[in-house]
Amino acid sequence: MTEIAERPVTARVIADADEALAVAAGFAERLAAGAADRDARRELPRAELDELSASGLLGITVPREFGGAQVPTAVAAEVFRLLASGDPNVAQIPHSHFVYVNALRQNGTDALQRLLFAEVLAGKRFGNAQSELGTKHVQDYRTRLRSDPAGDHVLDGVKHYSTGALFAHWIPVLAKDDADRIVVAYVPADADGLTVVDDWDGMGQRTTASGTVHLAGVRVPAEHVVPHHLTFTGPQLYGARAQILHTAIDAGIARGALTEAAEFVRTRSRPWFEAGVEHATDDPLTVQRFGELEVSVRAAEALLAVAGAAIDRAQEDLDDAGAAAASIAVATAKAAADRAALEVTNALFEVAGTRSALDSLNLHRHWRNARTHTLHDPVRWKIQHIGRFVLTGTPPPRHGVL
């Protein structure tokens, strides 16, 4: 268990969507002020995560009957977009927190929900121990949760890309049970046999500490295990809700980069001499490019809002048709947000000029963050599902990443 997870947490309880958005907007501004320096030094955002816990934002999707605001998915996505516009590293760290709050809502027992939702409302953070290396594909899991004659279960395995685990109070672990079914075990971060290693060395999203979790004979009470395999037996929005948060992070990266590019051009860039103008902001080619980039970012933001509304609409009377439409809406938004993030973070140097390439300015962090984060869940496969849906009405598969 890490230092950050041992600190006592006192959190506000956010009442509604308006409060959530206002808190997120203010926090995003504070995140932006230190984002470049944190990235340059690879300074892990411990203080920022404590502020996130205290803000109450981690509890906004907790159901009302357990004391939470239960904000719509569209609002949760906008919260993530705002945070990512300030610092996409800090925005990515709680992604799995929200995903596993949702898993708990889906299939957790009443007793486990009461226990863990109270923890969340108190500011406690969920991490993640999901992905593995060296397996056949991303959904091939070797980690095992075996039953024990004493009545508990025992976890063994190694997890990689465990974003949030280093800073967590609870670490949900994706594993296979004795019947080879997918389950989620909610494990305290200080459990015996659980070790989190900060070995993430990605070129982007550097301060997410997306390292390795080792599980060696970790004992788990039976009542802390959720039958996650049940999530995919009928119409579900689990994958759409997870993917829309990734989409929001990409849209936030695009907006944050464009905002910083505009400020740089206003205050530091020189016009090209052939433009015949006094200021870079009057260079017609620069003006044209900013207009094009703004269209890309606004399109991504608009599609994010459409996707959030589709999820919330489908939830009202969930069936296969609504779930499929919501997943396709999210896939469409993700494709647009990925493109916007990559386009803007690359064009930043084009519009800002030679000086923007100075390593000391660390403007390249935007591109590094975009290029790294957009590797999540390849858009090329989402395009395939969108195309089949349009041509033949084929619904997307229920595998949790659509």
Side-chain angles (χ1 to χ4, degrees), residues 16-42:
D16 55 32
D18 288 342
E19 184 180 2
L21 293 172
V23 170
F27 187 28
E29 290 184 8
R30 294 190 293 279
L31 289 176
D37 287 342
R38 283 191 298 274
D39 175 272
R41 298 193 297 263
R42 195 179 180 269

Side-chain angles (χ1 to χ4, degrees), residues 179-203:
D180 208 37
R181 300 171 303 189
I182 293 288
V183 296
V184 177
Y186 288 78
V187 182
D190 60 354
D192 291 339
L194 188 155
T195 307
V196 182
V197 181
D198 177 21
D199 56 2
W200 169 243
D201 65 349
M203 68 172 182

Side-chain angles (χ1 to χ4, degrees), residues 58-73:
L58 294 177
I60 59 175
T61 59
V62 170
R64 291 188 188 92
E65 64 262 35
F66 295 97
Q70 195 177 332
V71 303
T73 299

Side-chain angles (χ1 to χ4, degrees), residues 152-176:
D152 289 345
H153 298 285
V154 179
L155 264 176
D156 289 285
V158 180
K159 298 289 190 174
H160 300 270
Y161 308 123
S162 303
T163 304
L166 188 68
F167 312 108
H169 302 88
W170 289 85
I171 301 179
V173 181
L174 207 61
K176 294 282 192 74

Side-chain angles (χ1 to χ4, degrees), residues 15-216:
D16 55 32
D18 288 342
E19 184 180 2
L21 293 172
V23 170
F27 187 28
E29 290 184 8
R30 294 190 293 279
L31 289 176
D37 287 342
R38 283 191 298 274
D39 175 272
R41 298 193 297 263
R42 195 179 180 269
E43 180 181 304
L44 299 182
R46 290 181 164 87
E48 290 72 22
L49 288 172
D50 278 347
E51 183 175 352
L52 177 63
S53 284
S55 74
L57 289 172
L58 294 177
I60 59 175
T61 59
V62 170
R64 291 188 188 92
E65 64 262 35
F66 295 97
Q70 195 177 332
V71 303
T73 299
V75 173
E78 179 62 7
V79 165
F80 267 74
R81 189 195 68 80
L82 289 166
L83 296 181
S85 70
D87 186 342
N89 292 265
V90 175
Q92 189 180 344
I93 288 169
H95 177 276
S96 292
H97 171 94
F98 281 80
V99 168
Y100 286 108
V101 165
N102 189 33
L104 189 61
R105 288 177 62 178
Q106 292 281 108
N107 292 304
T109 64
D110 182 76
L112 186 59
Q113 289 177 344
R114 290 189 183 282
L115 169 67
L116 292 182
F117 287 151
E119 290 279 270
V120 169
L121 291 174
K124 300 297 180 66
R125 297 184 289 271
F126 290 172
N128 121 64
Q130 180 168 306
S131 295
E132 301 181 13
L133 290 180
T135 55
K136 185 181 297 185
H137 51 71
V138 71
Q139 292 197 336
D140 179 23
Y141 302 111
R142 294 174 181 167
T143 299
R144 287 293 182 268
L145 181 75
R146 295 183 172 85
S147 58
D148 183 88
D152 289 345
H153 298 285
V154 179
L155 264 176
D156 289 285
V158 180
K159 298 289 190 174
H160 300 270
Y161 308 123
S162 303
T163 304
L166 188 68
F167 312 108
H169 302 88
W170 289 85
I171 301 179
V173 181
L174 207 61
K176 294 282 192 74
D177 66 7
D178 292 332
D180 208 37
R181 300 171 303 189
I182 293 288
V183 296
V184 177
Y186 288 78
V187 182
D190 60 354
D192 291 339
L194 188 155
T195 307
V196 182
V197 181
D198 177 21
D199 56 2
W200 169 243
D201 65 349
M203 68 172 182
Q205 298 296 85
R206 296 179 64 201
T207 64
T208 60
S210 301
T212 303
V213 173
H214 296 270
L215 304 151

